[in-house]
Amino acid sequence: MPLPHVLLSAAVSLDGYLDDTGPERLLLSGPADFDRVDEVRASVDAILVGAGTIRADNPRLLVNSAERRAARVADGRAEYPLKVTVSGSGDLDPAARFWHTGGEKVLLTTDDGARRARALGIGADVVSLGPDLDWQAALEYLHDRRGVRRLMVEGGGTVHTQLLQQGLADELQLVLAPLFVGDPAAPRLFGPGAYQGGRLRLVETRRIEDVVLMRYLPTAPGAGDRVVAADRHWLALACELAELCPPSDTAFSVGAVVVAADGSELARGYSREGGDPVVHAEEAALAKVDPDDPRLVRATVYSSLEPCARRASRPAPCARLILDAGVRRVVTAWREPDTFVAGADGSGVLTAGGAVVLVLAEYAERAKAPNRHLER
């Protein structure tokens, strides 16, 4: 199911704390970074915090700039992003500022929590996700029912930890403050548990007064049929590569990326790359990888179009090349239509060979874009 782009936003001390244990909120950054956060808030469809953050900090979570609010309205959006909190118990203070400032609010909770929240008179749209909280269901609800495409998550540490551990965070915006807390009783940004392996990719660093903003993207693919945020990033890259293909009236434009289990990019390719008029994207990418590379057996191939099952231009179709390389996980955006080959079923060939094939249909339009001329 399509999900919002989930952006985790936090500021921490040099030793990884979100706050100290004093009665007042520890300010980890300054006016310039607060203004940056305000800009990010204005750019998203919804802002989410956990119930613990509401209890501890009593935040308003507003877009403070009148100019940014006016720009949202001019774009046809609500003045304020949707405000969302998540609570299993539904036991929240109905007088908290969260409920009484800004625009629309949603409380995502459980069946029991919904009954409690309604009895308390919580000023929000109270939505039960069932007997237990489920982050996948929460994100699907926000995407499908509330139109949320970009979600900013501002805490707390438990929420950030769960979203990262479940592979649901698309981006981490981390501000590092030049101070130490050193109190083991203080809240930390990330808790213990099983995280995805691999290194995150650093895509931006920026000095803001005396703090540093770092933006990271996850890179490690999911395992088996489990889709994680990094799968979407890599498939988006495959779609971008398809746009580099020399145009053709007799073949599709396709992009492909081969990614190791730890998130290392092994190779990329695209149709008709290097002046070869018949080379396919997956073929071009796999040709750049040492066939004895042990990482291939746990790698994922991302292809903007389903790998071909039959072709006239070369002895082996791409589905067979992938299997012969030892790859057993393929993520694609678009099933091959009958434009050139009737009954094409590369997924069937891959599945019969023991591979898992995942189709993320929300990327289909991007994959089709460089092939629109073939629909005429």
Side-chain angles (χ1 to χ4, degrees), residues 62-73:
L62 301 178
V63 175
N64 295 310
S65 165
E67 291 80 6
R68 289 174 183 142
R69 296 199 305 271
R72 287 178 58 89
V73 173

Side-chain angles (χ1 to χ4, degrees), residues 9 69 90 92 107 116 122 137 139-141 146 164 168 194 198 201 227 253 260 281 290 308 325 344-345:
S9 175
R69 296 199 305 271
L92 291 159
L107 167 60
R116 184 175 292 110
I122 295 295
L139 295 177
E140 287 178 5
Y141 168 83
R146 306 305 297 243
L164 269 176
L168 295 172
R201 183 165 72 252
V227 176
S253 293
D290 183 343
C308 63
D345 186 20

Side-chain angles (χ1 to χ4, degrees), residues 6 8 135 153 157-173 189-191 194-197 200 216-219 226 228-229:
V6 176
L8 307 186
W135 277 113
V153 180
T158 299
V159 172
H160 282 143
T161 296
Q162 291 174 350
L163 288 168
L164 269 176
Q165 289 180 343
Q166 294 181 35
L168 295 172
D170 293 273
E171 179 180 351
L172 172 61
Q173 295 191 3
L189 175 56
F190 297 122
Y195 291 85
Q196 271 193 285
L200 279 69
Y216 290 95
L217 303 181
T219 62
R226 180 181 177 226
V228 299

Side-chain angles (χ1 to χ4, degrees), residues 38-237:
D38 195 67
E39 182 179 24
V40 177
R41 286 179 179 176
S43 72
V44 301
D45 302 305
I47 304 168
L48 183 148
V49 293
T53 298
I54 293 179
R55 297 185 187 108
D57 300 336
N58 196 21
R60 297 182 303 158
L61 295 180
L62 301 178
V63 175
N64 295 310
S65 165
E67 291 80 6
R68 289 174 183 142
R69 296 199 305 271
R72 287 178 58 89
V73 173
D75 287 342
R77 297 184 291 167
E79 183 179 9
Y80 294 98
L82 176 71
K83 296 201 298 186
V84 184
T85 190
V86 179
S87 169
S89 70
D91 187 11
L92 291 159
D93 182 359
R97 295 190 297 181
F98 182 89
W99 316 114
H100 302 284
T101 56
E104 289 188 82
K105 298 98 183 170
V106 173
L107 167 60
L108 300 178
T109 184
T110 62
D111 294 339
D112 290 341
R115 286 189 285 270
R116 184 175 292 110
R118 292 182 182 121
L120 288 169
I122 295 295
D125 185 2
V126 178
V127 176
S128 173
L129 298 173
D132 301 298
L133 285 179
D134 182 309
W135 277 113
Q136 180 82 19
L139 295 177
E140 287 178 5
Y141 168 83
L142 291 174
H143 182 280
D144 297 344
R145 302 291 296 276
R146 306 305 297 243
V148 175
R149 298 298 180 265
R150 287 183 60 83
L151 174 67
M152 182 182 188
V153 180
E154 295 200 39
T158 299
V159 172
H160 282 143
T161 296
Q162 291 174 350
L163 288 168
L164 269 176
Q165 289 180 343
Q166 294 181 35
L168 295 172
D170 293 273
E171 179 180 351
L172 172 61
Q173 295 191 3
L174 182 64
V175 166
L176 190 62
L179 53 84
F180 295 91
V181 172
D183 184 345
R188 300 186 69 90
L189 175 56
F190 297 122
Y195 291 85
Q196 271 193 285
R199 300 171 70 90
L200 279 69
R201 183 165 72 252
L202 180 65
V203 295
E204 180 187 0
T205 59
R206 190 193 321 169
R207 178 177 176 175
I208 306 172
E209 295 176 332
D210 67 343
V211 304
V212 177
L213 167 69
M214 296 170 288
R215 288 182 55 235
Y216 290 95
L217 303 181
T219 62
D225 61 0
R226 180 181 177 226
V227 176
V228 299
D231 289 320
R232 296 182 169 88
H233 291 309
W234 290 116
L235 187 56
L237 174 58

Side-chain angles (χ1 to χ4, degrees), residues 5 201 203 215 217 230-246 253-257 265 268-273 281 302-305 331-334 363-371:
H5 179 98
R201 183 165 72 252
V203 295
R215 288 182 55 235
L217 303 181
D231 289 320
R232 296 182 169 88
H233 291 309
W234 290 116
L235 187 56
L237 174 58
C239 292
E240 291 176 13
L241 291 170
E243 298 173 358
L244 301 178
C245 300
S253 293
V254 183
V257 192
E265 180 182 327
R268 61 176 68 182
Y270 56 89
S271 305
R272 300 176 292 284
E273 183 178 358
Y302 298 89
S303 180
S304 60
L305 177 67
V331 179
T332 185
W334 180 30
Y363 289 88
E365 292 306 311
R366 293 181 63 176
K368 292 176 182 179
N371 297 287

